Amino acid sequence: QVQLVESGGGLVQAGGSLRLSCAASGSIFSINVMGWYRQAPGKQRELVAAISAGGSTNYVDSVKGRFTISRDNAKNTVYLQMNSLKPEDTAVYYCNVQAKRTVVTGTSSYWGQGTQVTVSS
C-alpha cells in the first residue's frame, strides 16, 4: 500500500529547467534510498540520480553538474532539479523508493507512474 505520485514533467527547450517531484504515501515505516530513473525510446532504463536517507547522492555521469536530487523526509518526497536540459535528456522519468512498511519487514522497491520529459532543440 505504498503509492508514488510524480509531477513536474513537461516540454522545455534546450537549456531550460524542470523540477520533478515524487511523493510517497500509504503504509510506510521508513524510506531508505530514493532515486530517479529514466527510459528513452529504444533504450534501457538507467539510474539518473539517487539519494540515501542520510543525504548522500550519486548521479550518472551525463547529468553531473546539471541535475540535483534532494529529499524532504518529513514529506516523504524526492525532487529532481534539472537544469541546462539537453535533447538527450528526453525520456520518461520514474521515481523509485526503497521503503519498509513495518519495522520487522525488509525493504521493498516501489515505482512511480512515470512522467514525460521532452527537451526540444
Side-chain angles (χ1 to χ4, degrees), residues 16-99:
S17 298
L18 286 173
R19 189 192 192 202
L20 306 183
S21 299
C22 175
S25 63
S27 180
I28 301 172
F29 174 75
S30 64
I31 297 177
N32 190 6
V33 177
M34 308 181 79
W36 290 93
Y37 290 72
R38 67 185 180 188
Q39 187 166 24
K43 295 185 177 181
Q44 293 185 333
R45 186 174 299 186
E46 68 172 347
L47 176 65
V48 178
I51 184 168
S52 71
S56 298
T57 61
N58 61 3
Y59 303 88
V60 67
D61 286 344
S62 61
V63 309
K64 288 181 178 178
R66 300 188 297 119
F67 291 10
T68 302
I69 189 170
S70 61
R71 63 191 286 171
D72 185 336
N73 291 329
K75 297 180 179 179
N76 286 340
T77 300
V78 62
Y79 307 93
L80 186 66
Q81 179 66 47
M82 305 185 294
N83 298 326
S84 301
L85 283 162
K86 303 175 180 180
E88 50 262 45
D89 295 318
T90 296
V92 177
Y93 284 70
Y94 296 91
C95 175
N96 176 264
V97 305
Q98 299 182 49

